Amino acid sequence: MTTQDIYQEIRPYNDDEVPAAIERLISDDEFITAILHYKFPSASKFLFWLLAPLLRCKLRRSLSKITTIEDVQLNVATYLNKTVKKTTNGITYTGLDKLDPNQAYLFVSNHRDIAMDPALMNWVLYNNKMQTVRIAIGDNLLKKACSTELMKLNKSFIVKRSAKAPRQMLKALGQLSAYIKHSLETNNSIWIAQKEGRAKDGNDFTDPAILKMFHVEGRKRKESFPDYMNSLKIVPVSISYENDPLDVQKAKELNAVATLGSYEKGEFEDIDSIIKGIIGNKKRIHIHFGDVVTSAPESADLLAQEMDQQITKNYHLFPINYAAANVDSDTVTEEVKQELETKLEQLSLQEQPYLRALYANPVKNAQ
């Protein structure tokens, strides 16, 4: 059995798997329905039935030239260039000059948007002639086969969060930890969020369990926690959005959890969130690449604290962050105050504090 076979369940696709994956996507009724649902949200089932064959023909023509992962990446880069121009007021970045273009890194970032966090970091790396990353994505977002196909085509690997039985969990953690190390050893950089799920409340904190998962393979190799962490070349990354296109939705969700105990997602909600995050106006974006972890402490808790200091300190605060936190700043204009007020007006009095916190907490954490 080859190394690739060991990771087949979770790894991204290889070049020779691309054409078949694209054909499966085009043949997938749910994929076609999701596109039509986005394009024509109020259309009848009969119209979907009429349009589906036309959409499949169009997709076959446009995707026939994509035969390798590099082709996929080039198409994603082209699309991202257009998206950045249409949906942002520019992306700035710092800290990249300290990284070696020939070195593989384990990028651990705060997490605000399902698709855009790793995509925008990849955009910066790609435009600086550095290799793009393999992206960790939870299987909770891959309930539909088409989602899995799309993600594995775009260099994503699967984190099996759905495993519940202790033996299954241990096996999944061991496989994931080994795959991350294998990727780095074969000069493939990795992106993974600092904790499970997006920070919908604006609090960017690293879950020590993520760092313990990294060390599962280290324990197998009988390497100490500090030595193994240093070998991974961990880079804490801070991604800051001036505007979160999903801020109102996140506030509603957090309030529902707080008042009802849970929040039930709609059938297309994850896909709708991904689309809204991609096409929504994000205004200015800043990405900071932190210092490589070279002197890891003895425990996951201490390392998480050190990484958090980097991520929160290097989070770029925009005027709306100060306005939400009621902190005096020359950058907070009447226009900024009105923008925040317009957002709050879309919510009930009970929901409003959650939206304010989303923008205010980065200020409090930086202090």
Side-chain angles (χ1 to χ4, degrees), residues 143 207 303 340 354 357:
K143 291 172 185 172
D207 185 351
L303 179 55
L340 177 61
Y354 295 101

Side-chain angles (χ1 to χ4, degrees), residues 216-234:
V216 170
E217 177 65 13
R219 288 206 308 270
K220 187 178 172 184
R221 299 184 183 201
K222 296 183 169 54
E223 294 183 34
S224 70
F225 181 82
D227 288 346
Y228 192 74
M229 292 299 109
N230 293 341
S231 77
L232 296 177
K233 300 287 189 295
I234 297 171

Side-chain angles (χ1 to χ4, degrees), residues 51-325:
L51 293 174
L54 298 174
L55 178 58
R56 283 196 168 96
C57 287
K58 183 182 177 183
L59 287 172
R60 281 199 177 91
R61 278 200 308 272
S62 61
L63 302 178
S64 62
K65 293 176 183 175
I66 299 177
T67 58
T68 67
I69 295 300
E70 180 65 20
D71 292 340
V72 175
Q73 292 283 289
L74 288 169
N75 274 269
V76 170
T78 301
Y79 179 77
L80 264 179
N81 281 329
K82 294 176 184 174
T83 303
V84 166
K85 284 180 184 174
K86 283 183 182 177
T87 71
T88 80
N89 293 350
I91 300 175
T92 54
Y93 52 90
T94 46
L96 194 62
D97 55 325
K98 294 178 290 185
L99 302 182
D100 180 355
N102 300 311
Q103 173 70 54
Y105 295 101
L106 175 49
F107 295 103
V108 180
S109 88
N110 63 331
H111 190 27
R112 299 302 182 86
D113 186 276
I114 297 169
M116 295 311 291
D117 293 347
L120 291 171
M121 196 189 83
N122 260 345
W123 184 85
V124 170
L125 294 172
Y126 181 84
N127 284 297
N128 281 275
K129 305 292 189 288
M130 294 178 71
Q131 64 158 318
T132 55
V133 298
R134 289 177 174 174
I135 300 163
I137 185 161
D139 61 0
N140 57 304
L141 295 170
L142 305 176
K143 291 172 185 172
K144 297 187 182 296
C146 56
S147 301
T148 305
E149 301 287 8
L150 281 168
M151 294 303 177
K152 292 182 80 170
L153 279 167
N154 193 33
K155 291 179 73 171
S156 295
F157 61 96
I158 299 169
V159 178
K160 292 183 178 178
R161 290 177 182 153
S162 58
K164 299 299 179 192
R167 188 174 292 180
Q168 279 185 320
M169 288 173 68
L170 282 172
K171 184 182 176 184
L173 287 172
Q175 185 185 40
L176 178 61
S177 182
Y179 180 72
I180 288 171
K181 183 64 171 175
H182 164 71
S183 292
L184 297 168
E185 288 177 336
T186 53
N187 207 38
N188 290 282
S189 290
I190 295 284
W191 175 91
I192 192 167
Q194 65 181 157
K195 64 181 178 183
E196 182 180 331
R198 293 167 290 165
K200 295 166 190 165
D201 60 359
N203 283 317
D204 299 314
F205 294 120
T206 304
D207 185 351
I210 299 284
L211 307 179
K212 290 174 184 175
M213 177 273 289
F214 294 161
H215 189 228
V216 170
E217 177 65 13
R219 288 206 308 270
K220 187 178 172 184
R221 299 184 183 201
K222 296 183 169 54
E223 294 183 34
S224 70
F225 181 82
D227 288 346
Y228 192 74
M229 292 299 109
N230 293 341
S231 77
L232 296 177
K233 300 287 189 295
I234 297 171
V235 178
V237 178
S238 309
I239 303 175
S240 318
Y241 297 87
E242 184 172 18
N243 185 64
D244 186 338
L246 292 156
D247 50 12
V248 170
Q249 183 178 318
K250 288 176 181 178
K252 288 178 180 289
E253 183 176 333
L254 289 175
N255 180 64
V257 172
T259 55
L260 305 174
S262 64
Y263 175 78
E264 195 68 36
K265 287 184 180 179
E267 183 186 359
F268 292 103
E269 191 160 337
D270 279 335
I271 293 172
D272 286 342
S273 292
I274 290 170
I275 292 169
K276 194 170 181 180
I278 292 169
I279 67 172
N281 181 21
K282 292 164 277 292
K283 301 185 79 173
R284 290 175 291 178
I285 296 167
H286 185 78
I287 301 175
H288 180 84
F289 296 86
D291 297 328
V292 182
V293 173
T294 55
S295 301
E298 291 293 326
S299 75
D301 290 318
L302 290 173
L303 179 55
Q305 289 174 26
E306 288 188 9
M307 291 170 63
D308 289 345
Q309 284 174 0
Q310 284 205 52
I311 290 171
T312 55
K313 181 185 75 173
N314 295 311
Y315 188 96
H316 186 86
L317 297 171
F318 292 103
I320 196 168
N321 298 116
Y322 294 114

